[in-house]
Amino acid sequence: MNVKRLKKLAMIIKLSLSNDGYKKAEYLKKHGNFKQFGDKNFWYPRIIPSDTELISIHNNVKVATDVYFCTHDVLHNLFNDETSGGGSKFSRYFGEIEIYDNVFIGARSTIMYNVKIGPNAIVAANSVVTKDVPEGAVVAGNPARIIGKYETIKFKRLK
Protein backbone atom coordinates (compact mmCIF):
# COMPACT_ATOMS: atom_id res chain seq x y z
CA MET A 1 0.00 0.00 0.00
CA ASN A 2 1.45 3.38 -0.96
CA VAL A 3 2.03 6.27 1.44
CA LYS A 4 -0.86 8.38 0.08
CA ARG A 5 -3.35 5.55 0.68
CA LEU A 6 -2.02 4.91 4.18
CA LYS A 7 -2.31 8.59 5.03
CA LYS A 8 -5.88 8.70 3.74
CA LEU A 9 -6.79 5.57 5.72
CA ALA A 10 -5.33 7.12 8.88
CA MET A 11 -7.39 10.30 8.27
CA ILE A 12 -10.58 8.28 7.80
CA ILE A 13 -9.97 6.40 11.03
CA LYS A 14 -9.20 9.62 12.93
CA LEU A 15 -12.32 11.33 11.59
CA SER A 16 -14.48 8.30 12.43
CA LEU A 17 -13.48 8.55 16.08
CA SER A 18 -15.04 11.97 16.52
CA ASN A 19 -18.61 13.23 16.34
CA ASP A 20 -17.52 16.87 16.47
CA GLY A 21 -17.68 18.37 12.97
CA TYR A 22 -15.64 21.40 14.05
CA LYS A 23 -12.81 19.20 15.36
CA LYS A 24 -12.91 17.14 12.18
CA ALA A 25 -12.60 20.33 10.12
CA GLU A 26 -9.64 21.52 12.19
CA TYR A 27 -7.95 18.16 11.69
CA LEU A 28 -8.52 18.36 7.93
CA LYS A 29 -7.24 21.91 7.83
CA LYS A 30 -4.03 20.73 9.45
CA HIS A 31 -3.60 17.35 7.70
CA GLY A 32 -6.02 17.14 4.77
CA ASN A 33 -3.86 18.63 2.00
CA PHE A 34 -6.76 20.56 0.53
CA LYS A 35 -5.84 23.30 -1.93
CA GLN A 36 -7.42 25.65 0.61
CA PHE A 37 -9.29 25.01 3.86
CA GLY A 38 -10.54 28.06 5.74
CA ASP A 39 -11.70 28.82 9.28
CA LYS A 40 -14.94 28.10 11.20
CA ASN A 41 -15.70 25.10 8.99
CA PHE A 42 -17.75 22.07 9.95
CA TRP A 43 -17.05 18.66 8.34
CA TYR A 44 -19.26 15.63 8.97
CA PRO A 45 -18.60 13.25 6.05
CA ARG A 46 -16.75 10.02 6.74
CA ILE A 47 -15.31 10.02 3.22
CA ILE A 48 -12.18 11.97 2.33
CA PRO A 49 -12.20 13.19 -1.28
CA SER A 50 -9.63 11.37 -3.42
CA ASP A 51 -8.04 14.54 -4.81
CA THR A 52 -8.14 17.01 -1.92
CA GLU A 53 -5.51 19.16 -3.66
CA LEU A 54 -8.23 20.07 -6.21
CA ILE A 55 -10.69 21.32 -3.57
CA SER A 56 -10.81 24.81 -2.06
CA ILE A 57 -13.05 25.34 0.93
CA HIS A 58 -13.24 28.90 2.19
CA ASN A 59 -14.57 30.09 5.59
CA ASN A 60 -17.72 29.13 7.50
CA VAL A 61 -18.54 26.17 5.26
CA LYS A 62 -20.75 23.51 6.81
CA VAL A 63 -20.66 20.08 5.17
CA ALA A 64 -23.25 17.54 6.35
CA THR A 65 -22.91 13.76 6.44
CA ASP A 66 -22.11 11.66 3.37
CA VAL A 67 -21.38 14.58 1.04
CA TYR A 68 -19.31 13.40 -1.93
CA PHE A 69 -16.85 15.64 -3.77
CA CYS A 70 -16.27 14.18 -7.25
CA THR A 71 -13.08 15.66 -8.73
CA HIS A 72 -12.75 13.27 -11.67
CA ASP A 73 -14.42 10.63 -13.76
CA VAL A 74 -13.14 7.35 -15.17
CA LEU A 75 -14.35 7.63 -18.75
CA HIS A 76 -10.74 7.41 -19.93
CA ASN A 77 -10.68 3.83 -18.68
CA LEU A 78 -13.84 3.00 -20.62
CA PHE A 79 -12.59 4.56 -23.86
CA ASN A 80 -9.07 3.16 -23.55
CA ASP A 81 -10.39 -0.36 -22.91
CA GLU A 82 -12.78 -0.47 -25.89
CA THR A 83 -12.41 -3.61 -27.91
CA SER A 84 -12.13 -1.45 -31.03
CA GLY A 85 -8.55 -0.64 -30.08
CA GLY A 86 -8.97 2.61 -28.18
CA GLY A 87 -5.44 2.14 -26.82
CA SER A 88 -4.37 4.73 -24.30
CA LYS A 89 -5.29 7.85 -26.25
CA PHE A 90 -7.52 9.16 -23.48
CA SER A 91 -6.18 10.63 -20.26
CA ARG A 92 -7.84 11.07 -16.87
CA TYR A 93 -10.28 13.98 -16.78
CA PHE A 94 -10.45 16.00 -13.59
CA GLY A 95 -11.43 19.45 -12.37
CA GLU A 96 -11.40 21.65 -9.31
CA ILE A 97 -14.17 22.37 -6.82
CA GLU A 98 -14.38 25.66 -4.95
CA ILE A 99 -16.72 26.36 -2.05
CA TYR A 100 -16.87 30.02 -1.01
CA ASP A 101 -17.74 31.60 2.37
CA ASN A 102 -20.96 30.88 4.28
CA VAL A 103 -22.10 27.77 2.46
CA PHE A 104 -24.12 24.82 3.72
CA ILE A 105 -24.01 21.52 1.83
CA GLY A 106 -26.80 19.12 2.82
CA ALA A 107 -26.50 15.42 3.56
CA ARG A 108 -25.77 12.99 0.74
CA SER A 109 -25.18 15.70 -1.85
CA THR A 110 -22.69 15.26 -4.66
CA ILE A 111 -20.52 18.14 -5.85
CA MET A 112 -19.10 17.49 -9.31
CA TYR A 113 -15.80 18.71 -10.75
CA ASN A 114 -15.44 22.18 -12.28
CA VAL A 115 -18.06 23.60 -9.90
CA LYS A 116 -17.95 26.74 -7.78
CA ILE A 117 -20.49 27.30 -5.03
CA GLY A 118 -20.79 31.03 -4.45
CA PRO A 119 -20.87 32.73 -1.08
CA ASN A 120 -24.03 32.60 1.03
CA ALA A 121 -25.43 29.53 -0.71
CA ILE A 122 -27.30 26.46 0.46
CA VAL A 123 -27.26 23.07 -1.24
CA ALA A 124 -30.25 20.97 -0.15
CA ALA A 125 -29.83 17.34 0.90
CA ASN A 126 -29.42 14.75 -1.88
CA SER A 127 -28.62 17.36 -4.52
CA VAL A 128 -26.25 16.75 -7.41
CA VAL A 129 -24.43 19.98 -8.21
CA THR A 130 -23.18 19.93 -11.81
CA LYS A 131 -23.01 23.69 -12.46
CA ASP A 132 -21.84 26.75 -10.56
CA VAL A 133 -24.15 27.95 -7.79
CA PRO A 134 -24.53 31.74 -7.77
CA GLU A 135 -24.09 33.85 -4.66
CA GLY A 136 -27.09 33.81 -2.34
CA ALA A 137 -28.84 30.87 -4.03
CA VAL A 138 -30.54 27.83 -2.54
CA VAL A 139 -30.33 24.84 -4.87
CA ALA A 140 -31.90 21.38 -4.79
CA GLY A 141 -32.45 18.36 -6.99
CA ASN A 142 -30.67 16.23 -9.55
CA PRO A 143 -29.34 18.15 -11.28
CA ALA A 144 -29.46 20.93 -8.71
CA ARG A 145 -31.35 24.04 -9.71
CA ILE A 146 -32.19 27.27 -7.91
CA ILE A 147 -35.26 26.98 -5.69
CA GLY A 148 -34.84 29.98 -3.42
CA LYS A 149 -32.62 32.55 -1.74
CA TYR A 150 -30.22 32.24 1.18
CA GLU A 151 -31.59 35.37 2.86
CA THR A 152 -35.16 34.01 2.73
CA ILE A 153 -34.12 30.83 4.55
CA LYS A 154 -32.09 32.85 7.06
CA PHE A 155 -35.08 35.13 7.76
CA LYS A 156 -37.46 32.15 8.18
CA ARG A 157 -35.09 30.52 10.67
CA LEU A 158 -35.09 33.68 12.79
CA LYS A 159 -38.82 33.34 13.37
Side-chain angles (χ1 to χ4, degrees), residues 27-142:
Y27 178 83
L28 286 175
K29 182 176 182 172
K30 186 174 180 181
H31 301 288
N33 298 321
F34 284 79
K35 183 174 182 181
Q36 177 179 345
F37 204 94
D39 297 320
K40 294 184 180 178
N41 292 331
F42 181 93
W43 183 273
Y44 218 71
R46 292 178 292 273
I47 299 170
I48 305 296
S50 60
D51 300 305
T52 54
E53 68 278 3
L54 297 174
I55 301 171
S56 296
I57 297 179
H58 293 255
N59 300 309
N60 196 29
V61 174
K62 312 307 184 203
V63 182
T65 192
D66 294 334
V67 172
Y68 179 67
F69 292 87
C70 183
T71 55
H72 65 280
D73 64 30
V74 293
L75 285 174
H76 64 288
N77 290 330
L78 172 72
F79 299 144
N80 287 334
D81 290 344
E82 284 180 340
T83 56
S84 62
S88 58
K89 299 174 191 171
F90 297 91
S91 58
R92 183 173 179 253
Y93 185 82
F94 57 90
E96 294 188 5
I97 296 171
E98 187 160 14
I99 314 298
Y100 288 91
D101 293 348
N102 307 319
V103 169
F104 171 77
I105 303 174
R108 294 184 179 86
S109 292
T110 299
I111 313 302
M112 295 301 294
Y113 48 80
N114 295 327
V115 163
K116 293 179 182 181
I117 299 179
N120 303 321
I122 297 171
V123 176
N126 294 307
S127 296
V128 178
V129 182
T130 60
K131 297 178 187 173
D132 290 352
V133 175
E135 180 175 355
V138 176
V139 299
N142 180 4

